[in-house]
Amino acid sequence: MKVRHGAGRKNIQNDDSYRYESVASSDYDPADEVERGQSSRDNTSSTVKILEDHLRTFKRSNQTKFFTLFGLAVAIMLILYWAIDFDSRVSAKSCDTWADGFVCSPEIARYWGQYSPYFSVPSDIPPAVPDSCTITFAQVLSRHGARDPTFGKTIKYKQTINKIHDSVKTYSESFKFVQAYNYDLGADQLSMFGEQQMVHSGHKFYDRYRDLARNITPFIRASDQNRVVQSAFNWTQGFHKAWKDEHKDKKDSYPYEIVEISETWGQNNTLDHGLCTAFEISHTGEEAQKNWVDTFIPPILQRLNDNLPGANLSSEDAIYIMDLCPYETVHSPVGKLSPFCGLFTEKEWHEYDYYQSLGKYYGYGWGEALGATQGVGFANELIARLTSAPVDDHTSTNHTLDNSGNTFPLGAILYADFSHDNDMTSIFSALGLYNETQPLLKQTMQNAEEMKGYSASWTVPFGARAYFEKMSCAGEEEEHVRVVVNDRVLPLHTCGGDGLGRCKLSAFVDSLSFARAGGNWDKCFV
């Protein structure tokens, strides 16, 4: 465990230090963990060489661009610096907004599964705090911001593009850009767009809970992978800037402390799975996806090979080319839509979204026998925070941290935790948030409405955020709980939620019997 006063921050020397500054992603280290739950690691020497060659090329390319543009950039900055700060310059033309998330090309950008940038999900229940209620507690559980592909995926994407370039001599009109395309994505680190997403997320949290946040600094934790910690810090920048805009003459304790929980294999961590042996070797998500790939990919694959004669692409290659649409989009600082997106129809993007949803549901949710169990530890921590009682858990909680008031304070009213999409999927399952969702069909597509509000893009996009609220309402003796996932108020039928999505606190805790009993943790090591 580490406690940082703002990961990656510059030295704070004056009262203008709250202004947003892009946090430079650190150089990629091959020893870093790959995406959580990835079924295999390609550690052969040839694979590592491919990645190293790619990253060296990537760095040289960026260095050349840097020196070429440096002089021009300095001149521009001198003109603009005093007039417009960084946040304003990015946001003025960005597809990402602090209030509604990603607002460009919703007909496709909201169907990229977990690779969609956060957007405001439609809600049947108004997300505004009910008129008769006052928020007394708020916890955000957030995914990190948009990033480059993981270590393993960036190798595979590079190989796919190389195969096309090596094999194709004639490109059809709509595919001509591929001929000149240079794969220059890095590995694992936040993009500038992803950093800005998290600044916006912190701003939005402050705006929603300003009556509490005016005088309270959130208690913040992050799983200690680099992109997660940087996301937490970027979030604090947005929160603090929003606070500072209302308190220009006041000072607070910024930069805020961030408690980092180790992702070292075998360490107890409620924000990152890795302990449950039987779960870690499961492939149910991939198996479910394969069934759907066999249904929806063949016509796409045929069209790709017709337009890229000689490439002889596989179904896996077709998925990788689709992946490049969201990854190249969030690689743009302003979220400019990648030309790869135009290679596929809206219907095909809906099918792709379903493919990603199958992977999450059957890999980390109720579709996996031990999926929900991976979220039990966090669920029990949430109960402790809501009730101001010690954590009662024997699964993935770190007792050294949770037994200390410094690293797991009880009685606070604002909390912020930062994690991964896979872990959030397990946590949502452990909390019973999507219990009305029936097992997803593996050969027939369903939309989010048919899945009772469940889909990867609706639940765990880049920059996803779930708000757990406790509120006091007029005429009610007991406090209520409400859960808002990406601006969608969940109906909470498992605890008797009313028309406003509220459950009494005691009913909400009672409904979490699966988590309180430890889930199926006893089956992890058999």
Side-chain angles (χ1 to χ4, degrees), residues 32-103:
D32 284 348
E33 289 289 331
V34 298
E35 179 76 321
R36 320 318 305 168
Q38 204 173 312
S39 64
S40 64
R41 292 180 172 91
D42 186 349
N43 286 325
T44 65
S45 60
S46 60
T47 299
V48 174
K49 185 177 185 301
I50 290 171
L51 179 62
E52 290 175 344
D53 290 345
H54 166 60
L55 293 180
R56 279 196 294 269
T57 301
F58 173 68
K59 290 178 181 178
R60 285 197 301 268
S61 174
N62 281 348
Q63 288 171 350
T64 301
K65 292 175 184 176
F66 172 79
F67 288 115
T68 301
L69 296 176
F70 180 75
L72 178 61
V74 170
I76 294 173
M77 288 297 292
L78 288 174
I79 296 171
L80 296 178
Y81 180 79
W82 295 109
I84 312 170
D85 66 18
F86 179 88
D87 184 52
S88 299
R89 283 184 277 115
V90 172
S91 298
K93 57 184 178 181
S94 178
C95 284
D96 194 65
T97 66
W98 74 264
D100 298 311
F102 198 82
V103 295

Side-chain angles (χ1 to χ4, degrees), residues 76-343:
I76 294 173
M77 288 297 292
L78 288 174
I79 296 171
L80 296 178
Y81 180 79
W82 295 109
I84 312 170
D85 66 18
F86 179 88
D87 184 52
S88 299
R89 283 184 277 115
V90 172
S91 298
K93 57 184 178 181
S94 178
C95 284
D96 194 65
T97 66
W98 74 264
D100 298 311
F102 198 82
V103 295
C104 298
S105 305
E107 68 281 1
I108 63 171
R110 297 184 178 185
Y111 297 94
W112 295 338
Q114 67 274 16
Y115 302 145
S116 287
Y118 154 78
F119 60 92
S120 186
V121 174
S123 180
D124 292 333
I125 301 172
V129 178
D131 291 338
S132 62
C133 300
T134 301
I135 298 293
T136 60
F137 167 103
Q139 152 92 63
V140 60
L141 172 63
S142 174
R143 185 188 180 191
H144 56 75
R147 55 161 172 78
D148 289 332
T150 56
F151 170 63
K153 285 292 182 67
T154 210
I155 294 172
K156 293 176 180 178
Y157 297 159
K158 177 70 171 176
Q159 290 173 333
T160 298
I161 295 301
N162 285 346
K163 179 163 69 171
I164 293 171
H165 287 167
D166 291 343
S167 305
V168 178
K169 306 303 179 186
T170 305
Y171 295 77
S172 70
E173 188 61 32
S174 57
F175 284 72
K176 282 191 180 298
F177 77 92
V178 179
Q179 184 174 14
Y181 171 68
N182 176 45
Y183 184 82
D184 63 354
L185 300 179
D188 286 306
Q189 303 303 321
L190 285 183
S191 65
M192 183 180 291
F193 177 89
E195 292 178 358
Q196 186 65 36
Q197 270 190 305
M198 300 311 296
V199 173
H200 285 160
S201 180
H203 179 171
K204 183 162 185 168
F205 185 85
Y206 179 87
D207 183 73
R208 182 174 179 85
Y209 302 113
R210 61 172 11 103
D211 288 343
L212 299 179
R214 285 191 181 103
N215 300 308
I216 299 293
T217 298
F219 177 78
I220 304 165
R221 299 187 306 174
S223 198
D224 80 345
Q225 196 166 42
N226 182 268
R227 62 176 175 264
V228 182
V229 176
Q230 287 197 1
S231 291
F233 177 64
N234 291 137
W235 186 92
T236 69
Q237 288 181 305
F239 180 96
H240 180 68
K241 185 177 187 301
W243 180 88
K244 192 68 175 178
D245 286 345
E246 290 188 354
H247 304 84
K248 298 185 185 302
D249 298 326
K250 293 184 179 180
K251 294 184 178 180
D252 69 351
S253 59
Y254 191 79
Y256 309 140
E257 289 185 356
I258 300 172
V259 175
E260 298 177 35
I261 307 177
S262 173
E263 289 193 7
T264 301
W265 205 256
Q267 293 291 311
N268 285 38
N269 185 345
T270 56
L271 301 175
D272 178 68
H273 67 84
L275 291 175
C276 180
T277 306
F279 172 78
E280 296 302 326
I281 62 175
S282 172
H283 302 286
T284 55
E286 294 167 0
E287 292 164 359
Q289 286 180 312
K290 186 179 185 308
N291 287 319
W292 179 236
V293 164
D294 292 342
T295 299
F296 93 98
I297 279 294
I300 295 175
L301 181 60
Q302 182 66 52
R303 188 175 72 251
L304 290 175
N305 280 321
D306 286 347
N307 285 274
L308 297 168
N312 194 26
L313 298 171
S314 66
S315 295
E316 188 176 48
D317 292 328
I319 294 292
Y320 293 160
I321 293 172
M322 295 188 84
D323 290 348
L324 288 176
C325 161
Y327 273 124
E328 287 286 354
T329 298
V330 300
H331 188 62
S332 161
V334 297
K336 181 181 178 181
L337 201 68
S338 165
F340 281 102
C341 303
L343 299 180

Side-chain angles (χ1 to χ4, degrees), residues 287-297 347 350-358 361-362 437-448 450-451 454:
E287 292 164 359
Q289 286 180 312
K290 186 179 185 308
N291 287 319
W292 179 236
V293 164
D294 292 342
T295 299
F296 93 98
I297 279 294
K347 176 179 178 292
H350 287 225
E351 293 168 335
Y352 174 86
D353 189 56
Y354 192 62
Y355 164 81
Q356 302 294 6
S357 298
L358 285 167
Y361 180 85
Y362 284 102
T437 300
Q438 297 299 307
L440 306 193
L441 303 177
K442 297 178 183 178
Q443 294 179 312
T444 303
M445 182 172 66
Q446 300 167 279
N447 60 37
E450 292 170 330
M451 294 186 286
Y454 180 82

Side-chain angles (χ1 to χ4, degrees), residues 328-398:
E328 287 286 354
T329 298
V330 300
H331 188 62
S332 161
V334 297
K336 181 181 178 181
L337 201 68
S338 165
F340 281 102
C341 303
L343 299 180
F344 308 96
T345 67
E346 290 182 25
K347 176 179 178 292
E348 288 166 348
W349 284 120
H350 287 225
E351 293 168 335
Y352 174 86
D353 189 56
Y354 192 62
Y355 164 81
Q356 302 294 6
S357 298
L358 285 167
K360 295 306 173 193
Y361 180 85
Y362 284 102
Y364 301 92
W366 280 114
E368 212 297 321
L370 292 170
T373 295
Q374 308 315 300
V376 162
F378 181 89
N380 286 324
E381 289 181 331
L382 179 63
I383 292 172
R385 288 172 168 177
L386 288 168
T387 61
S388 295
V391 178
D392 183 6
D393 181 77
H394 62 271
T395 65
S396 60
T397 50
N398 185 313

